[in-house]
Amino acid sequence: MKLATYKDGSRDGQLVVVSRDLSQAHFATGIANTMQQALDDWAFIAPQLEDLFVSLNQGKARHMFAFDPKMCMAPLPRAYQWADGSAYINHVELVRRARNAEVPPSFYTDPLMYQGGSDDFIGPCDDVVVADEAYGIDFESELCVITGDVAMQATPEQALDGVRLVLLANDVSLRNLIPDELAKGFGFVQSKPATAFSPVAITLDELGDQWQGGRVHATLQSTWNGRRVGMCEAGAEMTFHFGQLIAHLCKTRRVRAGSVIGSGTVSNKDWAKGYSCIAEKRCIEIIEDGKATTSFMRFGDRIRIEMKGKDGASLFGAIDQAVKPLHPPAAPVSDDAQA
């Protein structure tokens, strides 16, 4: 099934069930008011949501309405935790190669992961709001999962049983703030603003055989200012699958329902497939030409992130955002007004 959260003026929004073709929706009122409520009692609530999903797809739901992605918050608008990995080792290799650094051997056996801000996720069509272009605004096209409860010391196979939903993310990075933060040896804070997510989160059965071994075997598309810049395959080159990422997170603590785990930037060794973040494009330019020539995003730029199924239909809907300044410039004063 496919689930979304509609804006209603509250922090957690209103849970809605969305048809498979993303054309119709129905409020889940009477079953669960919010996504977190559904996750907290998944075994009881999910079958009821599934029944509504079936009725919606059959055109039999009594109060369905046209689905509008612009009305969506993040499917889980605020989460108990957001842990983002770096599951595509090619991305790490490119960054290291561009600065003539070796990849430590442990990176191939132990995932990289950081704990991000989860109190203020944003919706798929909400603006990316940044105070200054000089921060180095970059998109990052990713896959994510939302979990149920996972026990401490769960194996990767056990951790996969905790996956409830899959979705897309734009994990925005402010690249020019990252070096100073990492130099302190304590991780990202200011360089990671609010993360945006796809309109809907979907259950594993919606992926069919595109979900294999804890990986989504489909193409992640990134379109920057109307130009397709990335057609990256998400499955085959994912070094650490989602079960391994979750197991890494729960090595010393339990993972609770409503945790969001990200894959990191989807990256392929074949550069012809493009890129899922501008930083990677710049690394390729440094490797090939000795210097980076592609600029980071500017105010007014747009980024669209989407993944399609085997039938060509959108699986999650599209993240489609504009980059906007925190303080828009004042409108010029006309000569008549000055007079």
Side-chain angles (χ1 to χ4, degrees):
M1 61 184 162
K2 300 191 175 187
L3 303 175
T5 295
Y6 255 36
K7 298 174 180 178
D8 66 355
S10 72
R11 293 180 187 270
D12 297 304
Q14 180 67 49
L15 182 65
V16 298
V17 178
V18 183
S19 63
R20 183 168 286 115
D21 65 1
L22 305 180
S23 67
Q24 301 294 313
H26 196 292
F27 286 110
T29 309
I31 302 174
N33 292 322
T34 67
M35 180 69 85
Q36 186 61 50
Q37 183 183 350
L39 292 164
D40 283 338
D41 197 8
W42 188 257
F44 178 70
I45 291 176
Q48 299 176 64
L49 295 173
E50 179 67 30
D51 288 344
L52 179 54
F53 181 65
V54 171
S55 295
L56 189 59
N57 286 314
Q58 294 174 344
K60 297 179 180 179
R62 293 182 59 190
H63 302 294
M64 61 184 180
F65 52 87
F67 178 61
D68 182 1
K70 293 180 181 178
M71 284 293 297
C72 288
M73 304 172 78
L76 185 60
R78 50 180 177 168
Y80 287 109
Q81 68 176 327
W82 159 232
D84 197 19
S86 188
Y88 295 86
I89 198 68
N90 182 66
H91 176 73
V92 180
E93 290 172 339
L94 277 174
V95 173
R96 292 275 174 150
R97 184 178 167 189
R99 61 174 192 255
N100 295 313
E102 295 291 329
V103 178
S106 64
F107 283 25
Y108 293 91
T109 58
D110 193 31
L112 293 171
M113 185 171 285
Y114 81 91
Q115 194 92 35
S118 60
D119 58 326
D120 188 31
F121 291 153
I122 57 177
C125 301
D126 293 341
D127 293 335
V128 176
V129 178
V130 181
D132 194 333
E133 282 183 350
Y135 289 167
I137 308 162
D138 196 358
F139 64 89
E140 287 193 53
S141 305
E142 302 188 10
L143 281 154
C144 305
V145 297
I146 301 175
T147 74
D149 291 332
V150 182
M152 187 192 311
Q153 289 271 301
T155 66
E157 293 71 26
Q158 291 168 336
L160 276 181
D161 290 338
V163 173
R164 298 288 178 261
L165 298 161
V166 185
L167 63 168
L168 304 181
N170 179 15
D171 180 41
V172 179
S173 288
L174 303 178
R175 298 294 182 185
N176 294 338
L177 301 185
I178 288 177
D180 286 345
E181 287 205 300
L182 293 186
K184 296 177 181 178
F186 221 58
F188 303 119
V189 178
Q190 294 175 341
S191 53
K192 286 291 186 178
T195 303
F197 293 87
S198 52
V200 301
I202 70 176
T203 49
L204 298 180
D205 58 303
E206 291 298 309
L207 290 167
D209 62 6
Q210 289 181 287
W211 175 260
Q212 294 181 26
R215 300 171 174 88
V216 179
H217 293 265
T219 303
L220 186 60
Q221 304 177 14
S222 302
T223 303
W224 179 17
N225 289 337
R227 185 170 73 89
R228 187 75 50 77
V229 296
M231 290 287 287
C232 296
E233 299 303 323
E237 295 184 50
M238 189 180 189
T239 309
F240 302 102
H241 64 66
F242 278 111
Q244 292 170 299
L245 294 176
I246 298 166
H248 177 84
L249 181 61
C250 69
K251 179 176 181 178
T252 59
R253 65 192 196 209
R254 295 177 293 182
V255 169
R256 289 307 203 178
S259 294
V260 187
I261 289 85
S263 68
T265 305
V266 176
S267 180
N268 293 160
K269 291 185 181 297
D270 182 358
W271 295 351
K273 294 183 182 297
Y275 52 92
S276 298
C277 70
I278 301 168
E280 193 163 294
K281 171 64 171 173
R282 289 167 60 87
C283 286
I284 293 170
E285 291 168 348
I286 291 170
I287 293 166
E288 290 188 326
D289 306 318
K291 64 177 181 178
T293 55
T294 299
S295 300
F296 291 116
M297 300 181 84
R298 302 293 183 90
F299 295 143
D301 280 8
R302 296 198 71 90
I303 179 63
R304 181 182 176 91
I305 301 168
E306 190 171 18
M307 179 175 276
K308 297 182 179 180
K310 290 183 176 180
D311 60 358
S314 184
L315 287 167
F316 307 93
I319 298 171
D320 192 354
Q321 300 179 277
V323 180
K324 295 294 179 67
L326 176 62
H327 302 294
V333 179
S334 67
D335 294 339
D336 291 342
Q338 290 177 340

